[in-house]
Amino acid sequence: MALRMMDIWTVDLQIVEDLLTEKEVKIYQDLTSKMLSGEIDTSRHRHDLGNASERKKEDVENICQIMWPSLYVDNLDQGPLHMRTQAVANIIIGEDAVFDFDMFLSKAPHTNTDTPWHQDESYWGDVEDTRSASFWMAVDDAFKDNGCMWFVPGSHRRGLCDHRFVKDGCHVRTCDINDDEVKVAGEIRAGSVTVHHGRTLHYTRGNTTDKPRRAYVTAYRPRKMVDAFRQRGFDHGEKGIKDNT
């Protein structure tokens, strides 16, 4: 495992290479394949994150999102991904960093649906403590044409941008960015992760290749903030997603 920071990147964005071993990656590939096929039934937390556009394939989500996948596999939240991202989060955020939620994202071959530019914090409401770390683990090799993460370095320092829903009835948010912004592609191998701050602007292209692009996300916040979220009933969809379209 190696921590890599590119020269033009700031502390809002890092890459941890080879967080998981090749053997461990295969286990996550198997588990997520079973979730996608329905062998592991995640329908209560599964929906199409790309439902603002017509489906490119009738029986495949534009962007499959499964919230709280760790609820469906015993002790998955005690596995190597969660344990190692927790350790890195404690380094980046501090000893008060705790697990907030996880999710699984899949862009199937030739679904070609972007995830628009946004800041994660736009979904959270007001927060007193903005420290955060979101880990995007590539289940498959992630590169530009199949939908790796893109970032605007240093954008976490600007504050929260104005966001809007991409379409009525769709909960996906987006914001405007300047065409001349410096944008960096986080191309990574399966088992490696990108790590970004809640205010870091990011997006992913659609998958235009023959290869799948799956990602498993774990997110961490200060304990007081997670407690505050739960007290006001904000649980990142843990109770279930009503719209399974």
Side-chain angles (χ1 to χ4, degrees):
M1 181 174 69
L3 185 66
R4 169 161 60 97
M5 291 186 66
M6 291 187 175
D7 290 341
I8 66 170
W9 290 2
T10 55
V11 294
D12 64 328
L13 175 61
Q14 298 176 338
I15 283 178
V16 183
E17 295 178 327
D18 303 323
L19 183 75
L20 301 185
T21 66
E22 185 176 345
K23 182 177 180 180
E24 290 165 344
V25 169
K26 289 180 179 178
I27 293 172
Y28 284 88
Q29 288 174 338
D30 179 63
L31 287 173
T32 54
S33 292
K34 289 177 179 176
M35 291 179 186
L36 287 172
S37 71
E39 182 176 347
I40 298 176
D41 182 7
T42 62
S43 56
R44 189 164 65 94
H45 290 87
R46 178 174 179 165
H47 81 135
D48 190 344
L49 191 64
N51 63 6
S53 303
E54 290 188 14
R55 286 194 176 179
K56 312 302 188 297
K57 298 182 177 182
E58 184 176 350
D59 58 346
V60 178
E61 298 103 328
N62 285 335
I63 308 170
C64 176
Q65 181 187 52
I66 299 171
M67 298 302 299
W68 294 91
S70 57
L71 295 177
Y72 294 92
V73 179
D74 289 344
N75 299 316
L76 185 57
D77 60 352
Q78 301 300 311
L81 174 61
H82 290 71
M83 292 299 96
R84 291 171 196 163
T85 53
Q86 174 74 67
V88 178
N90 287 134
I91 294 171
I92 295 174
I93 299 175
E95 288 303 314
D96 59 341
V98 297
F99 175 72
D100 189 9
F101 72 99
D102 59 0
M103 68 177 167
F104 169 66
L105 296 163
S106 173
K107 293 193 175 187
H110 300 291
T111 45
N112 195 19
T113 305
D114 291 355
T115 303
W117 286 102
H118 68 283
Q119 296 163 300
D120 291 340
E121 192 179 315
S122 68
Y123 289 93
W124 307 342
D126 293 334
V127 292
E128 296 178 5
D129 188 338
T130 62
R131 288 177 295 153
S132 63
S134 294
F135 295 79
W136 193 95
M137 192 272 284
V139 178
D140 310 290
D141 292 344
F143 46 95
K144 294 175 184 176
D145 288 341
N146 77 344
C148 73
M149 293 279 273
W150 285 76
F151 304 92
V152 176
S155 52
H156 70 303
R157 297 194 183 99
R158 305 177 188 176
L160 194 61
C161 300
D162 290 331
H163 285 69
R164 62 187 180 278
F165 293 109
V166 297
K167 184 180 178 180
D168 289 343
C170 179
H171 83 280
V172 174
R173 297 174 181 266
T174 190
C175 61
D176 296 320
I177 68 168
N178 297 326
D179 291 339
D180 59 356
E181 295 273 17
V182 174
K183 306 173 186 71
V184 177
E187 295 184 295
I188 54 175
R189 297 186 299 267
S192 297
V193 301
T194 61
V195 193
H196 66 272
H197 187 278
R199 289 187 176 179
T200 302
L201 286 162
H202 59 286
Y203 112 114
T204 61
R205 290 180 183 174
N207 184 357
T208 59
T209 74
D210 296 327
K211 299 179 180 295
R213 195 239 61 185
R214 293 169 291 177
Y216 198 126
V217 177
T218 57
Y220 300 86
R221 313 278 179 264
R223 181 180 296 279
K224 287 184 178 179
M225 292 314 302
V226 174
D227 290 344
F229 283 160
R230 301 303 185 266
Q231 287 170 8
R232 67 189 192 210
F234 183 56
D235 63 2
H236 305 282
E238 185 177 8
K239 296 181 183 68
I241 296 174
K242 294 180 180 178
D243 180 10
N244 288 323
T245 58

